[in-house]
Amino acid sequence: MREPEEPGAGRSSERQAGGRREDVNDRTCIVTRESGSADELIRFVASPDGRVVPDLKRQLPGRGCWVKAERALVEKAVARKLFSRALKADVIAEPALADDVERLLKVQLAGMMNLARKAGQLVSGAAKVENAVRALEALAVFHSRDAAPDGVRKIDQARKAMHFATDGETEIPAFHVFDGAELDQLFGSYAFIHAVALAGQAGEGVVKRAIMLEKYRGNDPVRARDGAGQSRQ
């Protein structure tokens, strides 16, 4: 699944990091000791004042370490003081680090949504969302957590119908990642109640980031077979 390149994309597989070369392909979670791709792990570095900060775009200089993109594992890394060992420095990992990661993941998702909207690959409005689902043009649908149950149910019925119409081959995920206040803060006048991501690099990038955020929270996307209007919190 390709997406629009961000600044720094396409760099060498090695970067200068604090006077040494850091192989960015050597990604091992400091909690589980499991390796993974950049989509499965979050990079952390020490800031100039010695505090651990997340590096979602993998661009910050210095020695980095990796944690699987799950809130519980970030919290474990903080509690067990694993960052100091991994970064080989007396660093400070704030108790709110897991919250900071989630906030940045939400901002990253909102930024990609705005990019997709400008590219015509994120469309809002209940009727447009339902039409895209029934036309099998939808990559994923998004609902405000404050959305009226009837509106969510109608779109979910369309998702379920398309799931059965394609003999289970097409399963359009639905996300409930933002509440109304977050939508207003992140999108302003472009806040939505229902939206749909459409095919294209930006639309695919939206889905990719939404999946990462939900997995970080310990959730799975709502699927058509789960029944209409049943979100997992």
Side-chain angles (χ1 to χ4, degrees), residues 28 45 57 63 79 122 130 133 152-153 174 181 189 192 202 230:
T28 301
V45 300
K57 293 185 178 181
R63 174 187 288 273
L122 185 81
E130 183 180 355
V133 170
V152 175
R153 188 178 302 111
S189 61
F192 59 83
Q230 298 297 315

Side-chain angles (χ1 to χ4, degrees), residues 106-122:
K106 289 192 289 188
V107 170
Q108 188 180 65
L109 171 58
M112 184 56 70
M113 282 181 155
N114 278 325
L115 182 62
R117 177 184 56 78
K118 293 175 182 177
Q121 295 168 22
L122 185 81

Side-chain angles (χ1 to χ4, degrees), residues 1 5 47 50 57 73 77 80 100 106 119 122 169 176 191:
M1 182 180 289
E5 291 189 355
S47 67
K57 293 185 178 181
L73 294 180
R80 296 179 182 176
D100 292 340
K106 289 192 289 188
L122 185 81
E169 293 182 3
H176 303 249

Side-chain angles (χ1 to χ4, degrees), residues 181-228:
E182 290 173 319
L183 286 164
D184 288 340
Q185 180 181 10
L186 291 168
F187 298 97
S189 61
Y190 294 105
F192 59 83
I193 299 176
H194 309 283
V196 58
L198 305 175
Q201 291 187 31
E204 291 169 0
V206 168
V207 178
K208 176 180 174 181
R209 283 165 174 75
I211 290 172
M212 187 172 188
L213 175 58
E214 286 295 81
K215 287 184 175 180
Y216 180 80
R217 289 171 162 173
N219 300 332
D220 289 324
V222 181
R223 299 292 184 175
R225 64 167 174 260
D226 293 329

Side-chain angles (χ1 to χ4, degrees), residues 77-142:
V78 173
R80 296 179 182 176
K81 304 185 185 303
L82 298 181
F83 288 107
S84 291
R85 185 187 310 168
L87 296 174
K88 300 185 184 303
D90 186 18
V91 296
I92 300 171
E94 299 284 0
L97 183 61
D99 293 332
D100 292 340
V101 172
E102 180 167 343
R103 176 181 57 80
L104 291 172
L105 287 172
K106 289 192 289 188
V107 170
Q108 188 180 65
L109 171 58
M112 184 56 70
M113 282 181 155
N114 278 325
L115 182 62
R117 177 184 56 78
K118 293 175 182 177
Q121 295 168 22
L122 185 81
V123 178
S124 59
K128 292 180 180 179
V129 172
E130 183 180 355
N131 289 340
V133 170
R134 293 192 179 279
L136 295 178
E137 297 173 348
L139 297 180
V141 300
F142 295 83

